[in-house]
Amino acid sequence: MKVAILGFGTVGSGTAEMLTKNKALLEAHAGEEVEIKYIVDIRSFPESPFADRIINDFSVVEKDEEVSLVIEVIGGAKIAYDFTKRALLAGKSVVTSNKELVATYGAELLALAKEKDCYYLFEAAVGGGIPVLSPIANDLSHNEITEISGILNGTTNYILTRMFSSGASFEAALAEAQAKGYAEADPTADVEGHDAARKIAILGALASGKMVSSDAIHTEGIRAIRAEDVAAASKIGCSIKLLGRYLRTENGDMFLLVAPFLLPADSPLSGISDVYNGVLVRGNFVGDVMFYGRGAGSEPTASAVVADVDKIARGAAYRPAFIVADGDIPTEISFFRTRRYVVVEGIDASAVEIIFGETEPLSSEENAFLTAEMSEKGFKSRVARLEACGGKVVSHIRLYR
Amino acid sequence: MKVAILGFGTVGSGTAEMLTKNKALLEAHAGEEVEIKYIVDIRSFPESPFADRIINDFSVVEKDEEVSLVIEVIGGAKIAYDFTKRALLAGKSVVTSNKELVATYGAELLALAKEKDCYYLFEAAVGGGIPVLSPIANDLSHNEITEISGILNGTTNYILTRMFSSGASFEAALAEAQAKGYAEADPTADVEGHDAARKIAILGALASGKMVSSDAIHTEGIRAIRAEDVAAASKIGCSIKLLGRYLRTENGDMFLLVAPFLLPADSPLSGISDVYNGVLVRGNFVGDVMFYGRGAGSEPTASAVVADVDKIARGAAYRPAFIVADGDIPTEISFFRTRRYVVVEGIDASAVEIIFGETEPLSSEENAFLTAEMSEKGFKSRVARLEACGGKVVSHIRLYR
C-alpha cells in the first residue's frame, strides 16, 4: 500500500514519523507494506530524512495509480478542497486532520468517497489524538445520543485554567498562552469559539447524520470572562469551560451551541485542565461516557491521522453519514433552558428578584446571582426589562446543569 | 438476524430492553431485523414482556440454525463455558459480559471462534458501558502501548471515595457500600482486587496479545488502607485509587499488577469518584488518553453488550488476538520501580534515613514518609533490614508517579 502526504508541516512530519517508527505494527495489521511514496509540499526540505520523496506537484500523486491513500494535512478549505476532491475522484481514499474542510465540505466529500468506493476519514479533525469520532460512530451509535459536550479547544482551556490557577485576567492569560506557543498571534479563531464551532458541527453531524454550517452555530467565546467571574465561580466550587454542545431534547429537537459554561466540580469535564481536551457523550443506555487526551500537538494528531490510515489498510474503515441539512439542526437556541450566573449593575437586589424571579445571590462585591432554570428567550426578555429600568448585564455565563 | 440471550438477570434483562427500545437504530445499522428469539434461564418469568420467548433448555438454541448470535450473560466459568463452547462449535457468534470466563478461557474461545468463522466479543467484561476494548483494539493499536492503568472496580472506588469524603474507616465505608447495594455481602472479589485482576488480565491480553491467568497477577486489595493513610494522602493533595496496571518498559519487559496507588490531583484518573470507572491508555504517539464512564449497572452493561451485537450485525466485528502465554507477561514485579508512601513503627526518623535513603517526611502523627523511586526488590530488602532492627511497616502504598 502506497500513500502520499499532502503538506509537510507539524502534522505532516509527525505523520511521516509515526508511519516510519510504527511501521511494523501497521504492516502486521495491513498484511502488507505501508509505504510513503510521496510528500507534497511547495517548500523543499533537503535536510529531511524524507527528502527523496518530497515533490511539489500534486498531479503526480493524482495520476499515480499505485497510490491508494492520500493524507491531507495542508489545512484550510481552498487547495486542500481541490486536492481532496481530485484524490477522491481518482478513487483514492483520503484521511485528514482538516476540521475547516470537513466542517465546510464534509457531506459533499463523504458522498463523493462513497460514490467512488473509497473512504474519507477525519478522526484528527476533532480532539487531536483522542479516539472520539470512531468510538461515537462504531461503539456508541446503538445508543440514542442525547448530548455531546466537549472541551474542544486547547488554547482556550489553557487560558481558562490559568485564569483559575493564578487569578490572571483574560488578557494576561492570553499573553502567557501566546508566549508558550499555545495561542497564535491572532487568537481570534480560538478565543471567539470558531474552532470549537467547527468541531461541534462535525460531532453533531456524526451523531445526527445532519450537517450544519459552523458559521450558523450560536457561538460565544471567552473574551468577556472577567477575573471577577472566575473568583465567583471558584467560590461556588465551579470551573468555567468553553464547551461545544450538541443537545437533543426528549421531543427530538436538536441544537448546537458554543459558549463558556460553569461546571460543578463533580462533572467529568470540570477537571480537564491546560491544553487537554475532553468529549462527553450521553447515550440513552450507556449514560455519560467521556474521552480525554491531548487535543493538539504533532504526535497526538499524527496518531489520529494514522488511526484512520490503519483502519483503511486493514479493511476496517467506516462511512460517517453526513447529510447537508442547514436548518435541520436548529442553530436558533431560544428554547435552551438552563440556570444562569448573572452579574448586573444599575439596579438593586430587590429589583433583581422582581425581574429575574427566584435567584441565589452570590457573595461577591458585585450584584451577582444564579437564576433558576430559564430559556434563552425568557432570559432575553428579562434582560430587556432590566435595561428598561436603567440596569445592565455585566456578565452572563450559563450553568452546565 | 435472530439472537438468543442466555441468563435473564440484571444484564440479561437490560440487554433485552435495549434490543427492544433501540431496535430501529440497530436495524438501520444491520440492514435487517434484529430479533430476540429465545431467552434461556432456569427460572420462569410469567410477568415479563418477554415471557413468550423464555425457555429452559439451551440445546434448543444450539440446534436452531436460525439463531446466529448468542448473548451469554450468565456469569461464572462453568455452565457459561459449556454453553459458549457449544454455541461457537455450532457456528454462532457469542457476545458476553462475563469477565471471569474471558479471563480464564478467552484465548481458547477466541481461537474456536476464529476456527468456526464466527466471533467472540466481550466489551462488557471491562469497564461496564465504557467503550474501551474496541477503542484499544481498533483506534489505538497502531501505537506502541506502554501502559494501561484503570480504575476497574466500582465497589472499591466507591469505598475509597467515601473514605476520602467522610474520613470513614474502610469497614464503615464498606458497610455503607453494602447498604447502598454497591458491595456484595461477601465483598472479597471486589475488595481483595480479584475482580480488577481479571479485567487487567483482559486489557493486558488485548494490548500484548498474551494472556496470563489472573490468579498469577500480583494483587493487593484495599482492606489494609487506614483512615490515617487517607488523611496523609489528602494532605499532599493525592487520592488513593485501586488500579489494575499493564506496563511495558523501554526494553520491552511487560508486567501486570493490581494495587492501591497514590495519585496526584492532576492525574486524569485521580478525579474519578464513586462507582465510576476510568481506563488510561498510554501510546508512543498519542500520549495519555482516558476513557471514563459507569463501570457497572444494568443499562450501561447492556449498552456494551449491544455494542458488540451491533458490530456483528453490521459486519464490523473484530478479532482480539489472545494467545495463552503464562509467564510471557511476567507476573513477578520485582523490577517495578516507583516512589512509595511508607509508615513505619519501632524505629526513629534517623534510622528511617539510614534504611530507606533519602525520604520526604510527611507531617503526620505517625512516622510516615515518601521514598525516592525504588524497585520492589529494593523495597523488600529495606523492609527486611527494618525488621531486623525491630521495626515494622504499618502501611505501604505505591505512588502512581
Side-chain angles (χ1 to χ4, degrees), chain A residues 99 152 258:
Chain A
K99 54 196 176 271
L152 301 169
V258 173

mmCIF file of all heavy atoms in Angstrom, chain A residues 99 152 258:
data_model
loop_
_atom_site.group_PDB
_atom_site.id
_atom_site.type_symbol
_atom_site.label_atom_id
_atom_site.label_comp_id
_atom_site.label_asym_id
_atom_site.label_seq_id
_atom_site.Cartn_x
_atom_site.Cartn_y
_atom_site.Cartn_z
ATOM 1 N N LYS A 99 -10.171 20.242 10.046
ATOM 2 C CA LYS A 99 -11.535 20.460 10.554
ATOM 3 C C LYS A 99 -12.306 21.475 9.731
ATOM 4 O O LYS A 99 -13.513 21.344 9.553
ATOM 5 C CB LYS A 99 -11.515 20.872 12.020
ATOM 6 C CG LYS A 99 -10.645 22.074 12.291
ATOM 7 C CD LYS A 99 -10.336 22.233 13.761
ATOM 8 C CE LYS A 99 -9.383 23.393 13.972
ATOM 9 N NZ LYS A 99 -7.964 23.019 13.898
ATOM 10 N N LEU A 152 -13.132 21.381 23.381
ATOM 11 C CA LEU A 152 -12.633 21.024 22.059
ATOM 12 C C LEU A 152 -11.475 21.899 21.610
ATOM 13 O O LEU A 152 -10.926 21.696 20.540
ATOM 14 C CB LEU A 152 -13.784 21.133 21.044
ATOM 15 C CG LEU A 152 -15.005 20.242 21.342
ATOM 16 C CD1 LEU A 152 -16.162 20.615 20.441
ATOM 17 C CD2 LEU A 152 -14.640 18.772 21.156
ATOM 18 N N VAL A 258 -21.952 26.946 21.095
ATOM 19 C CA VAL A 258 -20.611 27.050 21.682
ATOM 20 C C VAL A 258 -20.651 28.232 22.629
ATOM 21 O O VAL A 258 -21.021 29.341 22.237
ATOM 22 C CB VAL A 258 -19.538 27.296 20.598
ATOM 23 C CG1 VAL A 258 -18.182 27.567 21.230
ATOM 24 C CG2 VAL A 258 -19.457 26.118 19.637
#
